[in-house]
Amino acid sequence: MLGVGLLTGAVTGSWLAGDSGDGGARSAYAEAGELWHSVPVDQLFPPTVQGKGAGPGGADRTWTRVAVAPDGDCAGAFDRLLAKVLDPVGCSRLLRATYTDATQSYVTTVGLLFTKADAAAMTSLAGRFEKEGLGRRTDLMPLPYAAKDTVAEGFGAPQRGSWTVSVLTDAPVVVYAVSGWADDRTVDEPEPAEEAIESGATSAPAQAGLGHEAQGLADRVERALRKNVGAPTEHPS
């Protein structure tokens, strides 16, 4: 989802088209923060995600959801250092799902961290990611969600190959994705998606398209999130 530029987040008000005045912006911001309990999981993490042009060289991608984590707080969901970086915006709820591609060669976990922060705090954190290059640091990679009896069962921290983190500024949400191979191989030198998708990138994650897996899924999950702001929803039973 994320359109272009996951690391710096979306421009404030980008999903508020049609709203007028600060009241509308504040309302949409607050509404976005409540989506975790008002929108069915299949709308936030669709069972199948189409990625037209999302692969290397503009190839199409199709991802199938293999697992959804129980929603909860952020305890133990991030490595210690990333948890510390995210701590200023708090954790209201964390939603995660893991997908595989059509060939079941890759696995990717996508996460939606709903924070407790106001727009100023989110903008401040997004600024830190931008200025300090936090989204490119391998010690700040998100953790994957591995589920038993799925192709992602062996997708642990050592298997992380590429990742992206986007701190939104028009919603209290951090969107992230982390990808790896489905055969449980470890990755000695992970590469951020921002670099892995560049033309001419030669790292193993880049050559395999792991950056495109992480970036493509994160982009589309963010788009699904945005579509639900202002839209009528069913409340999950």
Side-chain angles (χ1 to χ4, degrees):
M1 316 174 10
L2 307 191
V4 180
L6 285 176
L7 285 176
T8 59
V11 176
T12 300
S14 64
W15 60 10
L16 305 179
D19 285 340
S20 60
D22 291 343
R26 284 194 296 271
S27 174
Y29 185 94
E31 182 184 349
E34 298 297 316
L35 290 179
W36 65 268
H37 65 69
S38 63
V39 175
V41 66
D42 284 354
Q43 290 184 29
L44 294 176
F45 298 123
T48 302
V49 176
Q50 300 296 331
K52 185 173 177 59
D60 294 342
R61 279 285 190 268
T62 299
W63 296 285
T64 301
R65 194 183 69 202
V66 297
V68 176
D71 66 287
D73 59 26
C74 293
F78 300 108
D79 285 335
R80 181 187 59 81
L81 196 54
L82 180 56
K84 183 177 180 180
V85 169
L86 296 173
D87 186 64
V89 295
C91 175
S92 177
R93 212 69 173 175
L94 177 65
L95 309 183
R96 295 170 291 168
T98 298
Y99 289 79
T100 188
D101 69 305
T103 66
Q104 296 196 347
S105 299
Y106 313 112
V107 284
T108 303
T109 292
V110 188
L112 294 172
L113 165 58
F114 289 83
T115 76
K116 299 177 179 179
D118 60 16
M122 294 299 290
T123 298
S124 176
L125 182 61
R128 276 201 68 196
F129 268 78
E130 172 79 8
K131 273 196 245 175
E132 301 175 29
L134 302 185
R136 297 188 296 275
R137 285 176 43 172
T138 56
D139 57 351
L140 294 177
M141 280 191 292
L143 286 170
Y145 173 66
K148 287 186 178 181
D149 302 320
T150 73
V151 67
E153 185 169 10
F155 189 24
Q159 283 73 38
R160 294 174 291 184
S162 190
W163 75 99
T164 186
V165 178
S166 176
V167 181
L168 305 188
T169 57
D170 54 356
V173 182
V174 177
V175 185
Y176 68 85
V178 57
S179 62
W181 281 275
D183 61 5
D184 303 349
R185 77 181 76 175
T186 59
V187 181
D188 293 331
E189 296 184 15
E191 184 172 36
E194 182 184 28
E195 297 174 7
I197 65 175
E198 290 181 356
S199 176
T202 59
S203 69
Q207 292 291 302
L210 291 179
H212 289 82
E213 297 293 307
Q215 184 86 57
L217 262 171
D219 281 352
R220 283 149 185 84
V221 169
E222 186 188 320
R223 290 175 199 167
L225 176 78
R226 292 176 182 279
K227 283 179 182 177
N228 281 288
V229 175
T233 61
E234 301 176 19
H235 285 258
S237 56

